[in-house]
Amino acid sequence: MGGSAFSVGNNPLRTPRMLPRIYHAQKQRCQALLRQLYEHVDSPIDGPGKKDFGDIDIIVYGRRPVFPAPAHVENTKPGSELIREIATLLGSQRTIIADGASSNMAIPWPKDVDEEDSEDGEKYIQVDARISPSLESHRWMLFKHAHGDIWNLIGSLVRPYGLTIDDTGMFIRIPEVEAIYKARAKVHLTSDTDRVLDFLGLPHTGDHARIWVDEPFADLDAMFEYVTSCRMMYITPSATGPPDQANHDEGHNLLKDKESLKHNDRQRMRHRPGFRLWIEEFIPRCRRQGRFTIQGTNRAKITDEALEEFGVRDEFERRRREFLLERQRDRIWNGIIKTRIAEVPPGADQKTIMARSCQVKGLKKIILERDASYGVKFDEAMMGDDGFFREDEVRKFIDKYKDEVRQGAMIKHDAAFSEHMEKKNKAKAAKAKK
């Protein structure tokens, strides 16, 4: 199956996989055309041992100022005029604009290519083009999308240690935050490719100097072996028991390996052959051979090293503290104040229902906002030296002052209601005079 962006819909286009000679020739042709328009025109290093290709990936940056910028078309996505300019230059017959920076284009299959094809009808080549917002982003995207599945493999190794590597850089995750908010948990470490490789322990000098420049791996095994140089490479000796069972019940070991995968990795198992071979063949082979069965580090150590190496300890701790304070305030409101005040019994009158509602809101105002208008002052004994609430003291405060707060809350409610009615009556009287 080739590029799939145009294979669905009411009028699908046929974009078959390309033999290497067609792929390389068309990639060079497209790049040469785009270099008329952009200073940086590149494609990520191809995955290892590919016998055919589904699409052509091209990333550009730095539009040459000698060409007048195309006018923006009203009611279109910002930047889409630049994508359309690229599409016109490449001769795209159909273009899907994902946003103002990326797109899928269907360019005609070259007429002069002699190739056996049993299917009739027009066919096209899918070109995926992306405009980088900066030179740093351009370099990072080439790095992150190099070598096919390599970053899926590395990502599956480093994720348990709190690291995330995505299309913008490498991040360390805050454990307490990621359980609730995945995006908020990420603290940016770097988008410097060499620093990422150094931190992960992946070689990029000497014999490996060309790997991240222009040299694809010879085959999948070569890429797999390179990935094992990551200092977080670790394989459980046996998914079913102690180390002496490492060679027993491989089927169950493999099942456990698959069950431990995150949702995205399970998706990759279905759609990415390289990742599937890593899980189903390479990992079991290493387990049989007793390789990588000693865990060299842990999440706490990696986190500490990352915070020190990339100078983000203050930001990490600040965001962690802000989140924990936010969660504690939520817990005090929903888990202590609301539950400490008894619910009104079924069939209670409106006054009783209103009294409880005013009471819990009053306690919230006093405890979480230090509101002194209820006749009860905030007790500093509820606060610890670290700035967090002492929750046992909060419970004691509620038990001690809940009746006073109830009384003060109802006085405030009645006063507010009287004021509201007075204003309403005055407005009604003024209207009647007119």
Side-chain angles (χ1 to χ4, degrees):
M1 184 175 168
S4 59
F6 300 96
S7 63
V8 296
N10 295 328
N11 186 25
L13 300 180
R14 188 157 63 93
T15 53
R17 298 188 71 85
M18 295 166 278
L19 292 175
R21 60 187 175 85
I22 300 173
Y23 167 77
H24 290 295
Q26 291 302 306
K27 181 169 72 172
Q28 290 173 8
R29 185 186 73 84
C30 291
Q31 289 180 345
L33 287 170
L34 290 173
R35 286 193 180 101
Q36 300 173 31
L37 195 58
Y38 285 87
E39 295 180 10
H40 300 273
V41 179
D42 302 282
S43 294
I45 301 169
D46 294 322
K50 299 195 75 169
K51 296 180 180 179
D52 54 32
F53 298 82
D55 53 36
I56 297 172
D57 293 316
I58 298 179
I59 306 173
V60 303
Y61 171 70
R63 189 179 181 281
R64 297 184 187 276
V66 294
F67 296 97
H72 176 68
V73 179
E74 192 175 353
N75 298 323
T76 61
K77 299 173 183 177
S80 60
E81 67 276 8
L82 297 176
I83 291 293
R84 290 188 175 87
E85 181 181 51
I86 291 174
T88 299
L89 186 61
L90 296 183
S92 175
Q93 301 300 295
R94 189 179 299 175
T95 302
I96 301 171
I97 301 178
D99 51 46
S102 61
S103 63
N104 311 113
M105 303 176 185
I107 66 173
W109 192 274
K111 300 293 186 182
D112 57 347
V113 173
D114 182 19
E115 183 183 10
E116 293 183 7
D117 190 346
S118 59
E119 294 188 49
D120 296 327
E122 294 291 326
K123 55 183 178 178
Y124 301 84
I125 291 173
Q126 180 175 318
V127 178
D128 296 342
R130 174 184 289 270
I131 303 172
S132 300
S134 68
L135 187 56
E136 180 186 52
S137 172
H138 183 80
R139 291 168 175 162
W140 179 262
M141 286 295 289
L142 291 171
F143 173 72
K144 176 63 171 59
H145 290 269
H147 301 299
D149 289 315
I150 194 168
W151 284 107
N152 293 331
L153 310 183
I154 296 170
S156 70
L157 296 181
V158 306
R159 196 177 300 116
Y161 294 88
L163 293 171
T164 292
I165 302 168
D166 64 16
D167 281 354
T168 57
M170 183 167 73
F171 299 78
I172 192 74
R173 303 189 306 276
I174 304 170
E176 296 88 346
V177 182
E178 73 172 320
I180 310 296
Y181 305 112
K182 290 183 180 180
R184 282 180 60 184
K186 293 162 57 180
V187 177
H188 184 254
L189 297 175
T190 184
S191 297
D192 183 308
T193 59
D194 287 348
R195 294 189 75 188
V196 168
L197 295 172
D198 288 338
F199 189 77
L200 300 181
L202 293 167
H204 58 97
T205 58
D207 292 342
H208 302 93
R210 306 302 302 177
I211 285 177
W212 296 103
V213 179
D214 58 6
E215 188 176 283
F217 290 98
D219 52 38
L220 280 172
D221 268 350
M223 185 174 77
F224 291 166
E225 289 296 337
Y226 176 83
V227 171
T228 65
S229 60
C230 175
R231 66 191 181 106
M232 281 151 265
M233 179 68 188
Y234 170 66
I235 300 173
T236 54
S238 173
T240 59
D244 60 2
Q245 293 184 20
N247 295 324
H248 296 174
D249 197 5
E250 280 194 20
H252 192 66
N253 285 339
L254 178 58
L255 177 63
K256 288 294 183 182
D257 288 339
K258 290 180 177 179
E259 287 177 347
S260 69
L261 295 175
K262 299 294 185 182
H263 172 72
N264 287 346
D265 285 339
R266 291 196 295 272
Q267 291 284 93
R268 294 182 184 109
M269 283 285 291
R270 288 192 286 271
H271 302 296
R272 307 295 300 184
F275 188 79
R276 184 169 62 251
L277 289 172
W278 167 267
I279 296 295
E280 293 184 345
E281 294 186 12
F282 188 77
I283 294 297
R285 186 197 314 162
C286 290
R287 183 178 283 123
R288 288 194 301 271
Q289 296 169 348
R291 302 176 69 193
F292 316 114
T293 57
I294 298 175
Q295 193 168 14
T297 187
N298 58 48
R299 180 167 183 172
K301 290 179 181 178
I302 290 295
T303 297
D304 189 63
E305 291 172 18
L307 300 184
E308 190 67 26
E309 172 67 25
F310 299 102
V312 296
R313 189 179 299 277
D314 288 348
E315 180 185 358
F316 183 94
E317 295 298 345
R318 174 184 60 77
R319 288 173 53 181
R320 177 178 177 273
R321 176 184 171 82
E322 287 174 356
F323 174 78
L324 293 176
L325 284 169
E326 177 186 311
R327 294 295 292 174
Q328 188 185 48
R329 289 173 65 85
D330 182 70
R331 186 167 59 252
I332 288 172
W333 169 231
N334 290 295
I336 297 180
I337 295 175
K338 285 184 178 180
T339 61
R340 205 75 180 171
I341 303 302
E343 294 284 349
V344 296
D349 58 36
Q350 188 61 36
K351 185 176 180 180
T352 302
I353 296 171
M354 179 60 69
R356 183 188 181 277
S357 175
C358 292
Q359 183 182 30
V360 295
K361 288 178 181 177
L363 286 165
K364 179 184 180 182
K365 286 279 189 180
I366 296 167
I367 296 170
L368 297 181
E369 300 177 27
R370 295 179 178 245
D371 189 330
S373 65
Y374 288 82
V376 176
K377 292 183 179 181
F378 180 89
D379 188 348
E380 293 295 339
M382 291 189 288
M383 298 300 300
D385 294 337
D386 57 1
F388 286 85
F389 282 92
R390 294 189 177 108
E391 295 184 16
D392 284 344
E393 291 298 323
V394 172
R395 293 183 181 91
K396 291 178 183 177
F397 179 88
I398 293 172
D399 292 343
K400 182 176 181 180
Y401 293 107
K402 60 184 179 183
D403 292 337
E404 289 182 48
V405 172
R406 182 188 181 99
Q407 183 179 357
M410 287 306 296
I411 291 172
K412 283 174 66 70
H413 173 266
D414 291 343
F417 181 75
S418 297
E419 183 180 355
H420 167 74
M421 291 304 297
E422 184 178 350
K423 288 181 179 179
K424 186 176 180 180
N425 290 334
K426 285 182 179 180
K428 189 176 180 180
K431 188 177 180 181
K433 287 181 180 180
K434 292 180 182 180

